[in-house]
Amino acid sequence: VQLQAFGGGLVQAGGSLRLSCAASVRPFSSYTVGWFRRAPGKEREFVAATSWSSRTPSYADSVKGRFTASRDNAKNTGYLQMNSLKPEDTAVYYCAADPRAWVSDYEYNYWGQGTQVTVSS
């Protein structure tokens, strides 16, 4: 099982980025896709999750209204659209997948390598 997150980069405050998470898990449609981030000197924290079911995506309070998680099961890919980025969003972003996980990182068995997002002020 492999997950690969990409799409990070350097952006100015107020800008946007879209992260992608390509997964080799099968069937991808049966897996929750979670997004987490780790800022320098801080612990990893939950950002967003999309369920394999019709369950409404979940977001951390800090990103609600700015970030949108989605997925394309036909492409085995999850996405995290990040708008109105702030310097405090600077972190390494990780995607994860598991059929029974939701917002807790310990529930996820499969992780991508992370992609750096840097937001300048």
Side-chain angles (χ1 to χ4, degrees):
V1 175
Q2 289 186 332
L3 296 172
Q4 183 177 4
F6 54 94
L10 173 64
V11 64
Q12 289 186 333
S16 299
L17 284 174
R18 188 176 82 156
L19 305 184
S20 300
C21 177
S24 68
V25 291
R26 296 288 188 276
F28 179 75
S29 59
S30 296
Y31 282 70
T32 296
V33 177
W35 291 93
F36 296 82
R37 67 187 182 186
R38 176 173 283 156
K42 296 185 178 180
E43 294 188 353
R44 185 168 59 193
E45 65 175 358
F46 168 76
V47 176
T50 59
S51 172
W52 54 267
S53 69
S54 59
R55 189 175 187 178
T56 302
S58 181
Y59 298 94
D61 288 343
S62 59
V63 306
K64 279 182 182 177
R66 301 187 297 120
F67 290 12
T68 303
S70 62
R71 59 194 296 160
D72 185 336
N73 290 333
K75 296 182 178 180
N76 285 7
T77 302
Y79 303 98
L80 184 67
Q81 178 67 43
M82 306 185 295
N83 298 329
S84 302
L85 283 162
K86 304 175 181 179
E88 51 263 44
D89 293 318
T90 295
V92 177
Y93 284 72
Y94 300 88
C95 64
D98 195 276
R100 287 176 291 276
W102 194 225
V103 301
S104 299
D105 59 358
Y106 62 81
E107 297 175 319
Y108 287 85
N109 284 307
Y110 307 111
W111 290 83
Q113 84 289 3
T115 184
Q116 176 71 46
V117 171
T118 302
V119 184
S120 62
S121 57

